[in-house]
Amino acid sequence: MKPPVINFSTLQATVEITATLAFALSGLLAGARKQLDVVGLCVVAGLSAFGGGTLRDVLLDRRPFFWVEHADWLWALMALSFGAMLFMRHRHLALTEKAIQWPDALGLGLFTASGTSLALEAGMPGIVAVLMGVITATFGGVLRDIVCNEIPAAFNDHRPYALCSFVGGWVMVAMVHASAPPWAAISATAAVAMLLRGLALWTGWTLPAWRIDGR
Amino acid sequence: MKPPVINFSTLQATVEITATLAFALSGLLAGARKQLDVVGLCVVAGLSAFGGGTLRDVLLDRRPFFWVEHADWLWALMALSFGAMLFMRHRHLALTEKAIQWPDALGLGLFTASGTSLALEAGMPGIVAVLMGVITATFGGVLRDIVCNEIPAAFNDHRPYALCSFVGGWVMVAMVHASAPPWAAISATAAVAMLLRGLALWTGWTLPAWRIDGR
Amino acid sequence: MKPPVINFSTLQATVEITATLAFALSGLLAGARKQLDVVGLCVVAGLSAFGGGTLRDVLLDRRPFFWVEHADWLWALMALSFGAMLFMRHRHLALTEKAIQWPDALGLGLFTASGTSLALEAGMPGIVAVLMGVITATFGGVLRDIVCNEIPAAFNDHRPYALCSFVGGWVMVAMVHASAPPWAAISATAAVAMLLRGLALWTGWTLPAWRIDGR
């Protein structure tokens, strides 16, 4: 019943890099809309990519952070921010937003899997582990929106996002309890969260609204 | 001179639950006003209820968090959020806001007592312990307001709130220095903070304004 | 190649106090503009002065915080906030903002030096250590702006601020690698960051804008 440890095979590394870049790009888009300067762009890109995992690690009291162990990524992130600033124009924004939806869903799935798995490893109960997965997957975007002075999109755009991560996290909990092999648990978790997100995008499904103004 | 440890008697558990629910409800009200979706509601309810204590624990490097040790509360919180969404309407908002003023004052008192007491236990000097009590009691609401994209009410509504907690915290410091029994220190601290808050609500007392525009 | 430890000589203490006061004053100015009450003023002053260093210490898992070890500063901060509220009027705001530019640049330099140096001591790689210096020097202001419900000035005023700290941090990394004596490394780092900031203020240099609207 030992929870799976994420190993970096070449395939997985490729997938992880794609997902992290998608998260960073979502930060760059938000920063562009807010006319941030180059420093602000690097910060929102970094917060979007690493903020969720870092917050999870602070809560779990885990060190070193991903971006401390793999400090090269910080350079990649800066290069990405400079590149975006040099080459991205207004007409690219909507395009990029559409293009990153799928890698972003991938990131949602992978970060859910890694966050939930790490929390289970640290001995957290199921609901807490799932929450840690959700935090890993969504709080990068939340911090991005707070810095950009917006209500976090994850909390008020009425599209399922954190919810997909929440459901995916329970897949991880179930498979670890069933002593499934790590690669199976991770794949299943990531797949469920990603497909749910994809389904939500595809069908335009919205969360039921709070009909606070009466019937 | 050992600072008191909070024990959960039945009475105290009831009081604590009431206070935490009041904090969670204050988050739900703020979320309702901002038209958050169900995910956002759960998050602001959770931040309001547990955010202050969690920030205190991160600062004091204390683990496990309350909501990790008592993970059942997370389910209760979600149930509360769903219930509010199903049954609460616009005409309920002002009503609820009025109804939770007193349990909220209770929470202010209790969280001040537990925060200050835990910080003294951890060997913090008086002023730091009092600050930790204030953080425990007020930063849930501060995080709630930051997520809702508002200036925190505790900082600009010119009503005494954190101040009541600040005064209450010094009662705890004094009683611990006087080697008072734990139950007495906790009761006195909570009572002073709560009554001060009640008095402020009753009399409509406002903090003196900064007459920045001249005399 | 042991990184330098910051010692408090009288001169350095004076310089450090001046810089911290400048940071606290920048918080008070922001709070005044937002009409915060006295509690909010103390909080933004405290966040501006100690927020960056505290966030760095949480990330590096370092304890005790500066304001726990030197709890007297908390009293000084409150006194400063009360004094500002009593004596500062609208016509003083622009004046103070101008007057604190130089001590603020000094703080930028010193906090960069101390943050980078502490991170190197903790065994962080160069780029991470430099980032920790930047966080120490700028995130007080970032937290101040988030609480005041503004996009952080460091990210969107297009004036070099974090950038000066970033360049300064590399001076520290280089000098530690060259086994320079601590006082030299600290002085050089602080001087470079401060002079760059001064130069930027003097010449009105702005960061290149993202020409997102096309050529």
Side-chain angles (χ1 to χ4, degrees):
Chain A
M1 223 172 93
K2 197 173 172 306
V5 178
I6 308 249
N7 292 308
F8 270 87
S9 69
T10 316
L11 174 65
Q12 200 181 345
T14 316
V15 170
E16 187 107 2
I17 289 172
T18 314
T20 305
L21 286 185
F23 273 42
L25 271 173
S26 84
L28 287 174
L29 290 179
R33 292 233 162 71
K34 290 286 178 173
Q35 312 267 24
L36 299 191
D37 58 33
V38 65
V39 170
L41 287 175
C42 290
V43 172
V44 287
L47 273 182
S48 304
F50 302 131
T54 304
L55 179 57
R56 174 205 62 210
D57 286 351
V58 166
L59 292 176
L60 291 179
D61 211 2
R62 250 184 107 248
R63 299 289 187 290
F65 299 128
F66 179 85
W67 48 273
V68 169
E69 219 174 342
H70 305 273
D72 295 343
W73 283 68
L74 296 171
W75 291 111
L77 212 82
M78 279 188 241
L80 183 72
S81 302
F82 286 120
M85 226 178 144
L86 285 177
F87 298 116
M88 210 184 266
R89 293 291 168 270
H90 205 275
R91 67 199 143 85
H92 297 143
L93 290 192
L95 208 70
T96 312
E97 192 153 72
K98 211 168 171 58
I100 63 169
Q101 279 187 342
W102 286 98
D104 182 87
L106 193 68
L108 186 74
L110 285 175
F111 285 18
T112 299
S114 71
T116 311
S117 157
L118 284 169
L120 287 172
E121 250 181 278
M124 297 287 136
I127 174 74
V128 174
V130 170
L131 269 191
M132 290 292 172
V134 174
I135 286 174
T136 309
T138 65
F139 263 71
V142 169
L143 293 174
R144 171 200 70 202
D145 292 342
I146 288 177
V147 161
C148 287
N149 206 11
E150 298 280 350
I151 296 184
F155 301 160
N156 85 332
D157 74 349
H158 296 258
R159 314 297 295 268
Y161 188 78
L163 199 60
C164 309
S165 164
F166 187 79
V167 174
W170 286 110
V171 174
M172 173 63 81
V173 172
M175 293 195 72
V176 166
H177 274 262
S179 307
W183 64 266
I186 290 169
S187 311
T189 303
V192 166
M194 191 180 90
L195 290 178
L196 272 179
R197 174 63 179 167
L199 207 67
L201 286 173
W202 185 268
T203 61
W205 180 42
T206 58
L207 296 172
W210 188 347
R211 295 191 306 172
I212 202 169
D213 293 322
R215 319 181 158 266
Chain B
M1 224 173 90
K2 197 172 171 308
V5 179
I6 308 249
N7 293 309
F8 270 86
S9 68
T10 316
L11 172 66
Q12 200 181 344
T14 316
V15 169
E16 187 107 2
I17 288 172
T18 314
T20 305
L21 286 185
F23 273 42
L25 272 172
S26 83
L28 287 174
L29 291 179
R33 293 232 162 71
K34 290 286 178 174
Q35 314 266 26
L36 298 191
D37 58 33
V38 64
V39 170
L41 287 175
C42 289
V43 171
V44 288
L47 273 182
S48 303
F50 302 131
T54 303
L55 179 57
R56 174 205 63 212
D57 286 351
V58 167
L59 293 176
L60 291 178
D61 211 2
R62 251 184 106 248
R63 299 287 186 292
F65 298 128
F66 179 84
W67 48 273
V68 169
E69 220 174 341
H70 305 273
D72 295 343
W73 283 68
L74 295 172
W75 291 111
L77 212 82
M78 279 187 241
L80 183 73
S81 302
F82 286 121
M85 227 177 144
L86 284 178
F87 297 115
M88 211 184 266
R89 294 289 168 271
H90 205 274
R91 67 201 142 86
H92 298 142
L93 290 191
L95 208 71
T96 312
E97 191 153 72
K98 212 169 171 57
I100 62 168
Q101 279 187 343
W102 286 98
D104 183 86
L106 192 68
L108 185 74
L110 285 174
F111 285 17
T112 299
S114 70
T116 311
S117 158
L118 284 169
L120 287 172
E121 253 181 276
M124 296 288 136
I127 174 76
V128 174
V130 170
L131 270 190
M132 291 292 173
V134 174
I135 286 174
T136 309
T138 65
F139 263 72
V142 169
L143 293 174
R144 173 199 67 202
D145 292 342
I146 287 177
V147 162
C148 288
N149 206 12
E150 298 279 351
I151 296 183
F155 300 161
N156 85 332
D157 74 349
H158 295 259
R159 315 295 296 268
Y161 189 78
L163 200 60
C164 308
S165 164
F166 187 79
V167 174
W170 285 109
V171 174
M172 173 63 80
V173 172
M175 294 195 73
V176 167
H177 274 262
S179 307
W183 64 266
I186 290 169
S187 311
T189 303
V192 165
M194 191 179 89
L195 290 179
L196 272 179
R197 174 65 179 166
L199 206 67
L201 287 174
W202 185 268
T203 62
W205 180 42
T206 58
L207 296 171
W210 188 345
R211 295 191 307 171
I212 204 170
D213 294 322
R215 317 182 160 265
Chain C
M1 223 173 93
K2 196 171 172 308
V5 179
I6 308 249
N7 293 308
F8 271 86
S9 69
T10 316
L11 174 64
Q12 201 182 343
T14 316
V15 169
E16 187 107 4
I17 289 171
T18 313
T20 305
L21 286 186
F23 273 42
L25 271 172
S26 82
L28 287 174
L29 290 178
R33 292 231 162 71
K34 291 286 177 173
Q35 313 267 25
L36 298 192
D37 57 34
V38 65
V39 169
L41 287 174
C42 289
V43 171
V44 287
L47 273 182
S48 304
F50 302 130
T54 303
L55 178 58
R56 174 205 62 212
D57 286 351
V58 167
L59 292 176
L60 291 179
D61 211 2
R62 250 184 107 248
R63 300 286 187 294
F65 299 129
F66 180 84
W67 48 274
V68 169
E69 219 174 344
H70 306 273
D72 296 343
W73 283 67
L74 295 172
W75 292 111
L77 212 81
M78 279 188 240
L80 184 72
S81 302
F82 286 121
M85 227 178 144
L86 286 177
F87 297 115
M88 211 185 266
R89 293 290 168 270
H90 204 274
R91 66 200 144 86
H92 297 143
L93 290 191
L95 208 70
T96 312
E97 191 154 73
K98 211 168 172 59
I100 64 168
Q101 280 188 343
W102 286 98
D104 182 86
L106 192 68
L108 186 73
L110 285 175
F111 285 19
T112 299
S114 70
T116 311
S117 157
L118 284 168
L120 287 173
E121 252 181 277
M124 298 287 137
I127 174 74
V128 174
V130 170
L131 270 191
M132 291 292 173
V134 174
I135 286 174
T136 310
T138 65
F139 263 71
V142 169
L143 293 174
R144 171 200 69 203
D145 291 342
I146 287 177
V147 161
C148 287
N149 205 12
E150 298 279 351
I151 295 183
F155 300 161
N156 85 331
D157 74 349
H158 295 258
R159 314 297 296 268
Y161 189 78
L163 199 60
C164 308
S165 164
F166 187 79
V167 175
W170 285 109
V171 174
M172 174 63 81
V173 172
M175 293 195 73
V176 166
H177 274 261
S179 308
W183 65 265
I186 290 168
S187 311
T189 303
V192 166
M194 190 180 89
L195 290 178
L196 272 179
R197 173 66 179 165
L199 208 67
L201 287 174
W202 185 267
T203 61
W205 180 42
T206 58
L207 296 172
W210 188 346
R211 294 190 307 171
I212 203 170
D213 294 322
R215 319 181 158 267

